[in-house]
Amino acid sequence: MGGVAQILVLDYLNPFWWLAVAILGFKLFALVDAAVRPEDAYRAADKKTKGFWVAVLGVAFGLDLLFGAKFLTSFLTLGGLVAAIVYMVDVRPAIRELTGRGGDRDDRRNMGPYGPW
């Protein structure tokens, strides 16, 4: 059994089912996050384009829906998981820093025109 049927069969006692659901959720989060970020931020952060990341993450998520998230035996699942991890640990923080949605917010809270007060 594979594809969407693998997720729809609620096998709560199977740890591999939980891992498959977690992988799909992680890839979906990375895909949605890449889709909502502005195109200019990717270029400003000197990363690949928005279209590239949305396409790579979309294909990774789609292949898991089609064939199932079999992380132990499928190189497609592992490759897509690596792509999602790279996006989350490298691209997303750089874009969030440029768009003002990252970093330590306490440093900016008490800033005056000439520094902290």
Side-chain angles (χ1 to χ4, degrees), residues 6 11 19 25 27-29 33 50 54 61 64 88 96 106 112:
Q6 177 186 11
D11 193 6
L19 286 172
K27 287 182 181 180
L28 180 63
F29 177 78
D33 188 74
K50 178 180 181 175
V54 170
F61 182 71
D64 279 353
M88 293 297 287
R96 288 185 69 183
D106 292 334

Side-chain angles (χ1 to χ4, degrees), residues 19-61:
L19 286 172
V21 171
I23 288 172
L24 278 173
F26 181 69
K27 287 182 181 180
L28 180 63
F29 177 78
L31 174 63
V32 170
D33 188 74
V36 300
R37 302 290 175 187
E39 172 71 32
D40 296 336
Y42 288 87
R43 281 184 260 134
D46 198 27
K47 303 295 178 186
K48 294 281 187 184
T49 64
K50 178 180 181 175
F52 172 82
W53 282 109
V54 170
V56 167
L57 295 171
V59 166
F61 182 71

Side-chain angles (χ1 to χ4, degrees), residues 105-117:
R105 296 204 183 262
D106 292 334
D107 290 343
R108 287 184 253 142
R109 186 174 297 153
N110 294 329
M111 290 295 285
Y114 302 109
W117 51 274

Side-chain angles (χ1 to χ4, degrees), residues 37-92:
R37 302 290 175 187
E39 172 71 32
D40 296 336
Y42 288 87
R43 281 184 260 134
D46 198 27
K47 303 295 178 186
K48 294 281 187 184
T49 64
K50 178 180 181 175
F52 172 82
W53 282 109
V54 170
V56 167
L57 295 171
V59 166
F61 182 71
L63 287 174
D64 279 353
L65 281 181
L66 188 63
F67 297 117
K70 300 177 203 134
F71 62 94
L72 291 178
T73 59
S74 175
F75 289 111
L76 295 173
T77 299
L78 291 176
L81 185 60
V82 167
I85 291 171
V86 166
Y87 174 80
M88 293 297 287
V89 300
D90 182 41
V91 179
R92 185 174 186 250

